Protein backbone atom coordinates (compact mmCIF):
# COMPACT_ATOMS: atom_id res chain seq x y z
CA UNK A 1 0.00 0.00 0.00
CA UNK A 2 1.38 3.40 -0.98
CA UNK A 3 2.02 6.21 1.50
CA UNK A 4 -0.88 8.27 0.10
CA UNK A 5 -3.33 5.39 0.53
CA UNK A 6 -2.17 4.82 4.10
CA UNK A 7 -2.54 8.51 4.90
CA UNK A 8 -6.06 8.76 3.43
CA UNK A 9 -7.22 5.52 5.07
CA UNK A 10 -5.82 6.54 8.46
CA UNK A 11 -7.41 9.99 8.25
CA UNK A 12 -10.78 8.57 7.26
CA UNK A 13 -10.74 5.80 9.89
CA UNK A 14 -9.94 8.23 12.73
CA UNK A 15 -12.73 10.57 11.65
CA UNK A 16 -15.18 7.73 11.02
CA UNK A 17 -14.52 6.10 14.41
CA UNK A 18 -14.90 9.38 16.27
CA UNK A 19 -18.14 10.28 14.50
CA UNK A 20 -19.53 6.76 14.92
CA UNK A 21 -18.91 6.71 18.68
CA UNK A 22 -20.48 10.14 19.19
CA UNK A 23 -23.56 9.36 17.09
CA UNK A 24 -23.93 5.92 18.69
CA UNK A 25 -23.93 7.50 22.14
CA UNK A 26 -26.58 10.02 21.05
CA UNK A 27 -28.85 7.30 19.68
CA UNK A 28 -28.34 5.21 22.83
CA UNK A 29 -29.69 8.15 24.83
CA UNK A 30 -32.68 8.20 22.50
CA UNK A 31 -33.26 4.49 23.18
CA UNK A 32 -33.13 5.11 26.93
CA UNK A 33 -35.67 7.88 26.48
CA UNK A 34 -38.01 5.62 24.49
CA UNK A 35 -37.94 2.91 27.17
CA UNK A 36 -37.62 5.17 30.22
CA UNK A 37 -41.00 4.01 31.47
CA UNK A 38 -39.69 0.43 31.63
CA UNK A 39 -36.41 1.33 33.31
CA UNK A 40 -37.22 4.12 35.76
CA UNK A 41 -38.65 3.28 39.17
CA UNK A 42 -38.74 -0.48 38.54
CA UNK A 43 -35.99 -1.51 41.04
CA UNK A 44 -33.84 -3.06 38.31
CA UNK A 45 -30.24 -4.05 38.95
CA UNK A 46 -27.48 -2.31 37.02
CA UNK A 47 -26.64 -5.59 35.26
CA UNK A 48 -30.22 -5.92 34.01
CA UNK A 49 -30.23 -2.35 32.72
CA UNK A 50 -26.91 -2.92 30.91
CA UNK A 51 -28.25 -6.12 29.30
CA UNK A 52 -31.40 -4.26 28.31
CA UNK A 53 -29.33 -1.62 26.53
CA UNK A 54 -26.94 -4.17 24.96
CA UNK A 55 -29.81 -6.06 23.35
CA UNK A 56 -31.33 -2.81 22.04
CA UNK A 57 -28.05 -1.42 20.63
CA UNK A 58 -27.85 -3.41 17.35
CA UNK A 59 -31.08 -1.87 16.03
CA UNK A 60 -29.32 1.52 16.11
CA UNK A 61 -26.62 0.48 13.61
CA UNK A 62 -28.77 0.93 10.44
CA UNK A 63 -29.23 4.59 11.43
CA UNK A 64 -25.76 5.36 12.75
CA UNK A 65 -23.62 3.63 10.12
CA UNK A 66 -24.75 5.49 6.94
CA UNK A 67 -24.75 8.83 8.77
CA UNK A 68 -21.24 8.18 10.09
CA UNK A 69 -19.97 7.32 6.60
CA UNK A 70 -21.56 10.48 5.18
CA UNK A 71 -20.23 12.83 7.85
CA UNK A 72 -16.76 11.25 7.92
CA UNK A 73 -16.51 11.50 4.11
CA UNK A 74 -17.46 15.17 4.07
CA UNK A 75 -15.10 16.04 6.92
CA UNK A 76 -12.14 14.04 5.55
CA UNK A 77 -12.27 15.33 1.97
CA UNK A 78 -13.30 18.78 3.16
CA UNK A 79 -10.15 19.02 5.30
CA UNK A 80 -8.00 17.81 2.40
CA UNK A 81 -9.45 20.44 0.09
CA UNK A 82 -9.35 23.20 2.73
CA UNK A 83 -5.66 22.57 3.46
CA UNK A 84 -4.81 22.50 -0.27
CA UNK A 85 -3.74 18.86 -0.08
CA UNK A 86 -6.03 18.06 -3.00
CA UNK A 87 -4.35 20.80 -5.01
CA UNK A 88 -0.97 19.18 -4.32
CA UNK A 89 -2.33 15.77 -5.34
CA UNK A 90 -3.78 17.10 -8.58
CA UNK A 91 -0.56 18.91 -9.42
CA UNK A 92 1.17 15.53 -9.04
CA UNK A 93 -1.30 13.94 -11.46
CA UNK A 94 -3.46 12.20 -8.80
CA UNK A 95 -7.17 12.47 -9.58
CA UNK A 96 -10.10 12.36 -7.18
CA UNK A 97 -10.95 8.80 -8.27
CA UNK A 98 -7.37 7.70 -7.50
CA UNK A 99 -7.56 9.29 -4.05
CA UNK A 100 -10.88 7.58 -3.36
CA UNK A 101 -9.73 4.14 -4.49
CA UNK A 102 -8.50 2.79 -1.15
CA UNK A 103 -11.54 4.23 0.63
CA UNK A 104 -13.88 2.63 -1.92
CA UNK A 105 -12.32 -0.74 -1.05
CA UNK A 106 -12.83 -0.01 2.65
CA UNK A 107 -16.48 1.00 2.10
CA UNK A 108 -17.03 -2.18 0.07
CA UNK A 109 -15.76 -4.27 2.99
CA UNK A 110 -17.82 -2.18 5.39
CA UNK A 111 -20.94 -2.80 3.28
CA UNK A 112 -20.39 -6.56 3.44
CA UNK A 113 -19.96 -6.35 7.21
CA UNK A 114 -23.10 -4.20 7.45
CA UNK A 115 -25.12 -6.79 5.51
CA UNK A 116 -23.79 -9.61 7.68
CA UNK A 117 -24.62 -7.59 10.79
CA UNK A 118 -28.16 -6.84 9.57
CA UNK A 119 -28.70 -10.47 8.55
CA UNK A 120 -27.34 -12.19 11.67
CA UNK A 121 -26.70 -9.92 14.64
CA UNK A 122 -29.77 -7.67 14.51
CA UNK A 123 -32.33 -10.54 14.24
CA UNK A 124 -30.62 -12.37 17.12
CA UNK A 125 -30.55 -9.19 19.23
CA UNK A 126 -34.24 -8.51 18.51
CA UNK A 127 -35.14 -12.04 19.59
CA UNK A 128 -33.08 -11.71 22.77
CA UNK A 129 -34.46 -8.23 23.44
CA UNK A 130 -38.12 -9.31 23.35
CA UNK A 131 -37.50 -12.44 25.41
CA UNK A 132 -35.34 -10.54 27.88
CA UNK A 133 -38.20 -8.12 28.57
CA UNK A 134 -40.56 -11.04 29.10
CA UNK A 135 -38.09 -12.89 31.35
CA UNK A 136 -37.58 -9.80 33.49
CA UNK A 137 -41.34 -9.52 33.97
CA UNK A 138 -41.51 -13.19 34.98
CA UNK A 139 -38.45 -13.20 37.24
CA UNK A 140 -39.18 -9.76 38.70
CA UNK A 141 -42.92 -9.20 38.31
CA UNK A 142 -42.77 -6.10 40.50
CA UNK A 143 -40.91 -4.27 37.71
CA UNK A 144 -44.26 -3.89 35.94
CA UNK A 145 -45.60 -1.84 38.85
CA UNK A 146 -44.05 1.39 40.16
CA UNK A 147 -44.99 2.92 43.49
CA UNK A 148 -47.39 5.85 43.77
CA UNK A 149 -48.71 5.81 40.19
CA UNK A 150 -51.12 3.89 38.01
CA UNK A 151 -49.41 1.23 35.90
CA UNK A 152 -50.97 -0.15 32.73
CA UNK A 153 -50.69 -3.94 33.02
CA UNK A 154 -52.80 -5.98 30.60
CA UNK A 155 -56.48 -5.17 31.14
CA UNK A 156 -55.83 -3.51 34.51
CA UNK A 157 -54.51 -0.19 35.83
CA UNK A 158 -52.74 -0.94 39.12
CA UNK A 159 -51.53 1.49 41.76
CA UNK A 160 -49.69 0.58 44.99
CA UNK A 161 -48.61 2.82 47.85
CA UNK A 162 -45.57 0.76 48.82
CA UNK A 163 -43.62 -2.29 47.70
CA UNK A 164 -41.56 -4.48 49.99
CA UNK A 165 -40.04 -7.93 50.11
CA UNK A 166 -36.90 -9.29 48.47
CA UNK A 167 -38.17 -8.76 44.93
CA UNK A 168 -40.73 -6.08 45.72
CA UNK A 169 -43.56 -8.57 45.41
CA UNK A 170 -45.31 -7.58 48.66
CA UNK A 171 -47.74 -4.73 47.94
CA UNK A 172 -49.43 -2.36 50.38
CA UNK A 173 -52.41 -0.13 49.58
CA UNK A 174 -53.52 -1.63 46.27
CA UNK A 175 -55.99 0.12 43.93
CA UNK A 176 -57.01 -1.57 40.68
CA UNK A 177 -59.15 -0.20 37.85
CA UNK A 178 -60.36 -2.81 35.41
CA UNK A 179 -60.59 -1.46 31.87
CA UNK A 180 -64.08 -1.23 30.39
CA UNK A 181 -64.95 -3.36 27.37
CA UNK A 182 -66.24 -2.07 24.04
CA UNK A 183 -69.79 -1.80 25.39
CA UNK A 184 -68.84 0.34 28.38
CA UNK A 185 -69.71 -2.35 30.94
CA UNK A 186 -67.76 -4.16 33.69
CA UNK A 187 -66.42 -0.91 35.16
CA UNK A 188 -64.80 -2.33 38.27
CA UNK A 189 -62.66 -0.75 40.99
CA UNK A 190 -60.86 -2.99 43.47
CA UNK A 191 -59.20 -1.74 46.68
CA UNK A 192 -57.20 -3.98 48.98
CA UNK A 193 -55.18 -3.49 52.14
CA UNK A 194 -52.26 -5.53 50.84
CA UNK A 195 -51.36 -8.12 48.25
CA UNK A 196 -48.65 -10.35 46.84
CA UNK A 197 -47.30 -10.94 43.34
CA UNK A 198 -46.61 -14.60 42.51
CA UNK A 199 -44.97 -15.62 39.23
CA UNK A 200 -43.46 -18.66 37.60
CA UNK A 201 -40.64 -18.42 35.05
CA UNK A 202 -42.22 -21.26 33.08
CA UNK A 203 -45.57 -19.49 32.83
CA UNK A 204 -46.61 -16.16 31.29
CA UNK A 205 -49.38 -15.73 33.89
CA UNK A 206 -48.76 -13.37 36.80
CA UNK A 207 -50.89 -14.10 39.87
CA UNK A 208 -51.92 -11.17 42.08
CA UNK A 209 -53.29 -12.26 45.48
CA UNK A 210 -55.23 -9.51 47.29
CA UNK A 211 -56.20 -9.54 50.99
CA UNK A 212 -58.89 -7.65 52.97
CA UNK A 213 -60.50 -5.49 50.33
CA UNK A 214 -63.61 -4.30 48.55
CA UNK A 215 -64.72 -4.10 44.96
CA UNK A 216 -67.16 -1.72 43.27
CA UNK A 217 -68.74 -2.49 39.93
CA UNK A 218 -70.95 -0.15 37.89
CA UNK A 219 -74.08 -1.70 36.43
CA UNK A 220 -75.68 -0.45 33.21
CA UNK A 221 -79.45 -1.21 33.28
CA UNK A 222 -81.18 -2.19 30.07
CA UNK A 223 -83.92 0.38 30.69
CA UNK A 224 -82.73 3.89 29.94
CA UNK A 225 -84.81 5.57 32.69
CA UNK A 226 -83.08 3.46 35.35
CA UNK A 227 -79.58 4.55 34.32
CA UNK A 228 -79.94 7.92 36.05
CA UNK A 229 -79.97 6.06 39.41
CA UNK A 230 -76.34 4.96 38.74
CA UNK A 231 -76.69 1.47 40.26
CA UNK A 232 -73.58 -0.44 41.31
CA UNK A 233 -72.52 -3.60 43.06
CA UNK A 234 -70.37 -3.53 46.16
CA UNK A 235 -68.71 -6.52 47.78
CA UNK A 236 -66.02 -7.40 50.30
CA UNK A 237 -63.46 -10.17 50.27
CA UNK A 238 -60.85 -11.68 52.53
CA UNK A 239 -58.83 -13.06 49.62
CA UNK A 240 -59.13 -12.39 45.91
CA UNK A 241 -56.89 -13.70 43.10
CA UNK A 242 -56.35 -11.92 39.75
CA UNK A 243 -54.47 -13.58 36.87
CA UNK A 244 -52.60 -11.19 34.57
CA UNK A 245 -51.25 -12.22 31.17
CA UNK A 246 -47.62 -11.07 30.99
CA UNK A 247 -47.63 -11.27 27.20
CA UNK A 248 -49.47 -7.94 27.29
CA UNK A 249 -46.29 -6.33 28.66
CA UNK A 250 -44.44 -7.04 25.41
CA UNK A 251 -47.07 -5.56 23.12
CA UNK A 252 -45.64 -2.44 21.50
CA UNK A 253 -47.40 0.15 19.37
CA UNK A 254 -46.06 0.12 15.77
CA UNK A 255 -46.49 3.88 15.50
CA UNK A 256 -43.79 4.36 18.17
CA UNK A 257 -41.12 2.81 15.95
CA UNK A 258 -40.23 0.20 18.55
CA UNK A 259 -40.70 -3.51 17.87
CA UNK A 260 -42.37 -4.01 14.52
CA UNK A 261 -42.95 -7.74 14.88
CA UNK A 262 -41.33 -11.10 14.34
CA UNK A 263 -40.08 -10.11 10.89
CA UNK A 264 -37.26 -8.17 12.58
CA UNK A 265 -36.04 -11.43 14.20
CA UNK A 266 -35.52 -13.32 10.93
CA UNK A 267 -32.53 -13.51 8.57
CA UNK A 268 -32.74 -13.67 4.78
CA UNK A 269 -33.26 -17.43 4.52
CA UNK A 270 -35.89 -17.44 7.26
CA UNK A 271 -37.68 -14.48 5.68
CA UNK A 272 -37.80 -16.23 2.30
CA UNK A 273 -39.18 -19.40 3.89
CA UNK A 274 -41.77 -17.39 5.84
CA UNK A 275 -42.76 -15.39 2.77
CA UNK A 276 -43.29 -18.59 0.81
CA UNK A 277 -45.63 -19.89 3.52
CA UNK A 278 -47.49 -16.58 3.80
CA UNK A 279 -48.01 -16.32 0.04
CA UNK A 280 -49.28 -19.90 -0.19
CA UNK A 281 -51.63 -19.28 2.71
CA UNK A 282 -52.97 -16.11 1.06
CA UNK A 283 -53.48 -17.83 -2.31
CA UNK A 284 -55.27 -20.78 -0.70
CA UNK A 285 -57.58 -18.47 1.23
CA UNK A 286 -58.44 -16.48 -1.91
CA UNK A 287 -59.26 -19.69 -3.82
CA UNK A 288 -61.26 -21.10 -0.93
CA UNK A 289 -63.28 -17.92 -0.48
CA UNK A 290 -63.96 -17.54 -4.20
CA UNK A 291 -65.24 -21.12 -4.43
CA UNK A 292 -67.36 -20.65 -1.32
CA UNK A 293 -68.93 -17.38 -2.47
CA UNK A 294 -69.62 -18.83 -5.94
CA UNK A 295 -71.50 -21.72 -4.37
CA UNK A 296 -73.49 -19.37 -2.14
CA UNK A 297 -74.63 -17.08 -4.97
CA UNK A 298 -75.11 -19.93 -7.48
CA UNK A 299 -72.47 -18.93 -10.05
CA UNK A 300 -71.09 -21.68 -12.26
CA UNK A 301 -67.45 -22.02 -13.11
CA UNK A 302 -66.48 -20.95 -16.57
CA UNK A 303 -66.38 -23.85 -19.00
CA UNK A 304 -69.09 -25.88 -17.25
CA UNK A 305 -70.82 -28.14 -19.81
CA UNK A 306 -74.59 -27.86 -20.16
CA UNK A 307 -76.25 -31.29 -20.35
CA UNK A 308 -79.06 -32.24 -22.72
CA UNK A 309 -81.39 -32.65 -19.75
CA UNK A 310 -80.78 -29.06 -18.73
CA UNK A 311 -81.52 -27.89 -22.28
CA UNK A 312 -84.95 -29.59 -22.21
CA UNK A 313 -86.05 -27.77 -19.04
CA UNK A 314 -88.91 -25.31 -19.31
CA UNK A 315 -87.84 -21.77 -20.06
CA UNK A 316 -88.41 -19.43 -17.10
CA UNK A 317 -90.18 -16.08 -17.53
CA UNK A 318 -88.22 -12.85 -17.39
CA UNK A 319 -90.17 -11.77 -14.30
CA UNK A 320 -89.64 -14.60 -11.80
CA UNK A 321 -91.77 -12.95 -9.11
CA UNK A 322 -94.85 -13.36 -11.29
CA UNK A 323 -94.79 -17.07 -10.39
CA UNK A 324 -95.64 -16.31 -6.76
CA UNK A 325 -98.48 -14.64 -4.90
CA UNK A 326 -98.02 -11.49 -2.85
CA UNK A 327 -97.15 -13.24 0.42
CA UNK A 328 -94.62 -15.47 -1.26
CA UNK A 329 -93.13 -12.46 -3.06
CA UNK A 330 -92.51 -10.75 0.30
CA UNK A 331 -90.85 -13.87 1.67
CA UNK A 332 -88.67 -14.25 -1.43
CA UNK A 333 -87.56 -10.60 -1.31
CA UNK A 334 -86.78 -10.82 2.41
CA UNK A 335 -84.72 -13.96 1.82
CA UNK A 336 -82.89 -12.33 -1.11
CA UNK A 337 -82.18 -9.20 0.95
CA UNK A 338 -80.87 -11.32 3.82
CA UNK A 339 -78.63 -13.30 1.48
CA UNK A 340 -77.26 -10.14 -0.10
CA UNK A 341 -76.53 -8.60 3.31
CA UNK A 342 -74.86 -11.81 4.48
CA UNK A 343 -72.73 -12.06 1.34
CA UNK A 344 -71.69 -8.40 1.51
CA UNK A 345 -70.69 -8.80 5.16
CA UNK A 346 -68.74 -11.95 4.32
CA UNK A 347 -66.96 -10.23 1.44
CA UNK A 348 -66.06 -7.17 3.52
CA UNK A 349 -64.76 -9.21 6.47
CA UNK A 350 -62.74 -11.47 4.15
CA UNK A 351 -61.40 -8.45 2.29
CA UNK A 352 -60.18 -6.97 5.59
CA UNK A 353 -58.57 -10.27 6.54
CA UNK A 354 -56.85 -10.53 3.14
CA UNK A 355 -55.56 -6.95 3.48
CA UNK A 356 -54.11 -7.76 6.88
CA UNK A 357 -52.35 -10.83 5.48
CA UNK A 358 -51.04 -8.85 2.51
CA UNK A 359 -49.79 -6.17 4.91
CA UNK A 360 -47.93 -8.85 6.86
CA UNK A 361 -46.35 -10.09 3.62
CA UNK A 362 -45.32 -6.53 2.75
CA UNK A 363 -43.69 -6.11 6.17
CA UNK A 364 -41.65 -9.27 5.68
CA UNK A 365 -40.63 -8.18 2.17
CA UNK A 366 -39.61 -4.77 3.52
CA UNK A 367 -37.52 -6.44 6.24
CA UNK A 368 -35.85 -8.58 3.53
CA UNK A 369 -34.96 -5.62 1.30
CA UNK A 370 -33.78 -3.50 4.26
CA UNK A 371 -30.87 -5.87 4.83
CA UNK A 372 -29.57 -5.02 1.36
CA UNK A 373 -30.47 -1.33 1.57
CA UNK A 374 -28.18 -0.75 4.55
CA UNK A 375 -25.22 -2.15 2.59
CA UNK A 376 -25.96 0.03 -0.44
CA UNK A 377 -26.58 3.07 1.81
CA UNK A 378 -22.94 2.97 2.94
CA UNK A 379 -21.80 3.18 -0.69
CA UNK A 380 -24.35 5.89 -1.49
CA UNK A 381 -23.42 8.09 1.46
CA UNK A 382 -19.72 7.80 0.66
CA UNK A 383 -20.19 8.87 -2.97
CA UNK A 384 -22.29 11.80 -1.77
CA UNK A 385 -20.02 12.85 1.09
CA UNK A 386 -16.58 12.50 -0.52
CA UNK A 387 -17.21 14.71 -3.61
CA UNK A 388 -19.34 17.12 -1.55
CA UNK A 389 -16.44 17.64 0.88
CA UNK A 390 -14.07 18.23 -2.03
CA UNK A 391 -16.47 20.81 -3.50
CA UNK A 392 -17.34 22.83 -0.37
CA UNK A 393 -13.70 22.70 0.84
CA UNK A 394 -14.70 22.90 4.48
CA UNK A 395 -13.72 20.43 7.20
CA UNK A 396 -14.32 20.38 10.91
CA UNK A 397 -17.71 20.30 12.61
CA UNK A 398 -19.36 23.35 11.05
CA UNK A 399 -20.70 23.30 7.51
CA UNK A 400 -20.12 19.52 7.02
CA UNK A 401 -22.56 18.72 9.84
CA UNK A 402 -25.22 20.96 8.26
CA UNK A 403 -24.93 19.21 4.88
CA UNK A 404 -24.72 15.74 6.47
CA UNK A 405 -27.81 16.28 8.62
CA UNK A 406 -29.86 17.69 5.72
CA UNK A 407 -28.92 14.82 3.39
CA UNK A 408 -29.44 12.13 6.01
CA UNK A 409 -32.79 13.54 7.15
CA UNK A 410 -33.91 13.52 3.51
CA UNK A 411 -32.71 9.93 3.11
CA UNK A 412 -34.33 8.76 6.35
CA UNK A 413 -37.63 10.57 5.68
CA UNK A 414 -37.96 9.12 2.18
CA UNK A 415 -37.01 5.68 3.47
CA UNK A 416 -39.56 5.78 6.28
CA UNK A 417 -42.26 7.19 3.99
CA UNK A 418 -41.59 4.51 1.38
CA UNK A 419 -41.71 1.66 3.92
CA UNK A 420 -44.97 2.90 5.45
CA UNK A 421 -46.55 3.39 2.04
CA UNK A 422 -45.46 -0.04 0.80
CA UNK A 423 -46.75 -1.79 3.93
CA UNK A 424 -50.19 -0.29 3.32
CA UNK A 425 -50.13 -1.36 -0.33
CA UNK A 426 -49.51 2.11 -1.82
CA UNK A 427 -46.49 0.79 -3.75
CA UNK A 428 -44.51 -2.41 -4.02
CA UNK A 429 -42.24 -3.25 -1.04
CA UNK A 430 -39.25 -3.22 -3.39
CA UNK A 431 -39.89 0.37 -4.46
CA UNK A 432 -40.73 1.45 -0.92
CA UNK A 433 -37.47 0.07 0.45
CA UNK A 434 -35.24 1.32 -2.37
CA UNK A 435 -37.00 4.64 -3.09
CA UNK A 436 -34.60 6.72 -0.99
CA UNK A 437 -31.59 5.10 -2.71
CA UNK A 438 -33.07 5.64 -6.18
CA UNK A 439 -33.81 9.31 -5.44
CA UNK A 440 -30.38 10.14 -3.98
CA UNK A 441 -28.30 8.12 -6.46
CA UNK A 442 -28.48 10.85 -9.16
CA UNK A 443 -27.21 13.33 -6.54
CA UNK A 444 -24.21 11.09 -5.85
CA UNK A 445 -23.47 10.79 -9.59
CA UNK A 446 -23.83 14.57 -10.11
CA UNK A 447 -21.57 15.47 -7.17
CA UNK A 448 -18.91 12.95 -8.24
CA UNK A 449 -18.97 14.31 -11.80
CA UNK A 450 -18.68 17.95 -10.69
CA UNK A 451 -15.93 17.22 -8.16
CA UNK A 452 -13.96 15.27 -10.79
CA UNK A 453 -14.17 18.20 -13.23
CA UNK A 454 -13.31 20.80 -10.53
CA UNK A 455 -16.73 22.44 -10.79
CA UNK A 456 -18.45 24.11 -7.88
CA UNK A 457 -21.59 22.94 -6.15
CA UNK A 458 -23.66 25.33 -8.30
CA UNK A 459 -22.44 26.68 -11.63
CA UNK A 460 -23.31 30.36 -11.27
CA UNK A 461 -21.81 31.10 -14.70
CA UNK A 462 -24.69 29.21 -16.28
CA UNK A 463 -27.32 31.01 -14.15
CA UNK A 464 -26.26 34.66 -13.92
CA UNK A 465 -25.80 35.47 -17.67
CA UNK A 466 -29.41 34.67 -18.66
CA UNK A 467 -30.69 36.70 -15.71
CA UNK A 468 -28.49 39.68 -16.54
CA UNK A 469 -29.55 39.52 -20.20
CA UNK A 470 -33.20 39.48 -19.13
CA UNK A 471 -32.76 42.61 -16.99
CA UNK A 472 -30.84 44.30 -19.82
CA UNK A 473 -33.71 43.66 -22.27
CA UNK A 474 -36.23 45.02 -19.79
CA UNK A 475 -34.18 48.17 -19.23
CA UNK A 476 -33.73 48.69 -23.00
CA UNK A 477 -37.46 48.31 -23.57
CA UNK A 478 -38.51 50.97 -21.11
CA UNK A 479 -35.63 53.41 -21.62
CA UNK A 480 -36.95 54.98 -24.90
CA UNK A 481 -40.28 55.83 -23.28
CA UNK A 482 -38.48 57.62 -20.45
CA UNK A 483 -36.35 59.64 -22.91
CA UNK A 484 -39.45 60.86 -24.76
CA UNK A 485 -41.04 62.10 -21.57
Amino acid sequence: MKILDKYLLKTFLVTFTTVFVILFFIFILQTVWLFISELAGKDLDLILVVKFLLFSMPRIIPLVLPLSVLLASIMTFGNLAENYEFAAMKSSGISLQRAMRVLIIFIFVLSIVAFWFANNVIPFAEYKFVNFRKNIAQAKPAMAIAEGQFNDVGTYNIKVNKKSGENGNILTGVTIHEKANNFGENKTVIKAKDGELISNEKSSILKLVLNDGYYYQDVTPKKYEERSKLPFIKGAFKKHIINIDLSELNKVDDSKESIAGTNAMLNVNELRYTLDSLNKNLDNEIISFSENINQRVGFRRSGTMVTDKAKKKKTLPSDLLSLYNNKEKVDVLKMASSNVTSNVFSIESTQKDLKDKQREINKHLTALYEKFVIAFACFLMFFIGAPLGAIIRKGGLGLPIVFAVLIFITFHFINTFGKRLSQEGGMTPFMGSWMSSFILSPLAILLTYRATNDNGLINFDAITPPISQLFQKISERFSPAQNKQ
Side-chain angles (χ1 to χ4, degrees):
M1 184 180 292
K2 295 185 178 181
I3 297 177
L4 177 63
D5 293 333
K6 290 182 180 180
Y7 174 72
L8 290 174
L9 184 59
K10 179 182 178 181
T11 304
F12 182 83
L13 285 177
V14 171
T15 308
F16 173 76
T17 305
T18 305
V19 170
F20 183 84
V21 171
I22 294 174
L23 292 177
F24 195 80
F25 179 74
I26 294 174
F27 280 91
I28 283 293
L29 294 179
Q30 182 193 22
T31 302
V32 173
W33 179 256
L34 287 175
F35 294 99
I36 191 67
S37 60
E38 297 189 21
L39 300 176
K42 299 297 177 68
D43 298 332
L44 294 178
D45 299 334
L46 179 61
I47 297 177
L48 292 178
V49 175
V50 171
K51 286 184 177 180
F52 188 93
L53 294 176
L54 284 175
F55 290 142
S56 62
M57 282 180 183
R59 67 170 62 185
I60 303 174
I61 299 299
L63 290 175
V64 177
L65 191 59
L67 180 58
S68 300
V69 172
L70 176 63
L71 187 54
S73 302
I74 297 177
M75 293 175 63
T76 300
F77 285 83
N79 280 325
L80 293 174
E82 186 178 13
N83 297 326
Y84 299 101
E85 291 175 287
F86 261 137
M89 292 181 193
K90 291 178 181 178
S91 63
S92 302
I94 300 175
S95 63
L96 178 64
Q97 287 85 352
R98 172 62 185 84
M100 293 170 59
R101 186 175 66 182
V102 65
L103 296 181
I104 292 175
I105 297 174
F106 170 75
I107 295 298
F108 178 76
V109 176
L110 183 65
S111 299
I112 296 176
V113 174
F115 174 77
W116 176 85
F117 192 88
N119 189 45
N120 296 280
V121 179
I122 293 179
F124 176 77
E126 287 289 334
Y127 173 79
K128 298 292 290 186
F129 180 69
V130 173
N131 285 276
F132 182 71
R133 292 171 65 190
K134 182 178 178 181
N135 293 335
I136 289 178
Q138 291 175 347
K140 289 180 171 289
M143 76 156 282
I145 302 174
E147 292 182 355
Q149 67 184 40
F150 279 100
N151 303 269
D152 190 2
V153 183
T155 58
Y156 301 94
N157 284 319
I158 303 175
K159 177 183 177 182
V160 298
N161 296 333
K162 186 179 179 181
K163 296 189 300 182
S164 58
E166 183 179 356
N167 294 321
N169 59 326
I170 305 299
L171 311 177
T172 304
V174 183
T175 302
I176 300 176
H177 290 177
E178 185 177 0
K179 298 178 183 178
N181 59 19
N182 296 331
F183 301 98
E185 299 175 351
N186 297 330
K187 299 178 181 178
T188 305
V189 179
I190 303 173
K191 295 182 69 69
K193 182 179 178 180
D194 54 58
E196 182 182 2
L197 289 169
I198 302 174
S199 64
N200 186 354
E201 294 185 5
K202 296 181 180 179
S203 174
S204 61
I205 301 299
L206 174 65
K207 183 184 292 186
L208 175 58
V209 181
L210 303 176
N211 303 313
D212 297 329
Y214 301 87
Y215 72 88
Y216 308 87
Q217 183 176 1
D218 292 338
V219 178
T220 305
K222 294 182 179 180
K223 294 183 179 181
Y224 182 78
E225 57 272 11
E226 295 181 1
R227 297 183 182 180
S228 59
K229 299 178 182 180
L230 301 177
F232 66 92
I233 298 173
K234 178 181 178 181
F237 58 85
K238 286 293 183 181
K239 184 177 181 180
H240 181 62
I241 299 176
I242 298 177
N243 293 320
I244 302 173
D245 188 2
L246 287 177
S247 61
E248 296 290 331
L249 297 177
N250 288 323
K251 288 188 177 180
V252 181
D253 188 4
D254 291 340
S255 63
K256 294 181 180 179
E257 293 291 336
S258 299
I259 301 173
T262 57
N263 54 332
M265 307 177 194
L266 306 177
N267 58 31
V268 171
N269 293 329
E270 293 169 342
L271 282 170
R272 288 176 176 172
Y273 178 81
T274 305
L275 281 168
D276 184 60
S277 301
L278 290 174
N279 283 314
K280 287 182 179 179
N281 186 21
L282 180 62
D283 293 339
N284 291 334
E285 185 163 344
I286 292 174
I287 294 173
S288 176
F289 176 73
S290 62
E291 292 178 349
N292 183 31
I293 201 69
N294 286 340
Q295 291 177 0
R296 291 176 64 177
V297 300
F299 286 160
R300 293 178 178 176
R301 288 187 178 182
S302 59
T304 301
M305 299 298 294
V306 181
T307 61
D308 295 335
K309 186 176 181 181
K311 292 180 180 179
K312 296 178 180 179
K313 286 184 177 180
K314 184 178 179 181
T315 304
L316 296 175
S318 58
D319 186 7
L320 295 178
L321 291 177
S322 62
L323 300 175
Y324 305 96
N325 56 37
N326 291 335
K327 184 178 181 303
E328 291 174 341
K329 288 180 180 179
V330 173
D331 294 338
V332 169
L333 291 176
K334 284 183 179 180
M335 185 181 299
S337 177
S338 176
N339 290 335
V340 170
T341 303
S342 175
N343 289 332
V344 169
F345 177 77
S346 177
I347 291 172
E348 289 178 350
S349 60
T350 305
Q351 185 179 22
K352 182 179 180 301
D353 184 51
L354 293 177
K355 284 184 178 179
D356 292 339
K357 291 189 175 183
Q358 185 62 52
R359 187 181 294 111
E360 192 67 22
I361 292 175
N362 292 341
K363 288 181 179 180
H364 281 75
L365 283 172
T366 301
L368 176 64
Y369 295 135
E370 277 296 304
K371 300 183 187 302
F372 298 93
V373 170
I374 182 177
F376 182 77
C378 296
F379 257 108
L380 180 64
M381 292 303 161
F382 176 74
F383 280 99
I384 291 177
L388 183 60
I391 290 173
I392 63 176
R393 299 178 182 178
K394 290 290 182 182
L397 297 175
L399 191 60
I401 290 183
V402 176
F403 278 103
V405 169
L406 289 176
I407 293 172
F408 183 76
I409 288 178
T410 303
F411 176 82
H412 184 63
F413 173 78
I414 297 173
N415 190 35
T416 304
F417 175 76
K419 287 192 296 184
R420 293 289 183 183
L421 192 61
S422 63
Q423 289 174 5
E424 297 300 325
M427 63 172 59
T428 61
F430 178 82
M431 284 299 302
S433 301
W434 288 94
M435 184 168 62
S436 56
S437 300
F438 291 155
I439 291 177
L440 291 183
S441 292
L443 176 62
I445 296 173
L446 177 63
L447 290 175
T448 304
Y449 174 77
R450 297 189 69 82
T452 303
N453 294 298
D454 293 330
N455 295 328
L457 186 62
I458 300 175
N459 188 5
F460 289 99
D461 293 336
I463 299 176
T464 53
I467 297 176
S468 60
Q469 291 177 4
L470 178 63
F471 279 105
Q472 184 177 0
K473 290 181 180 179
I474 294 175
S475 61
E476 291 176 355
R477 182 176 180 181
F478 289 98
S479 58
Q482 293 177 355
N483 293 334
K484 290 180 181 179
Q485 290 178 356

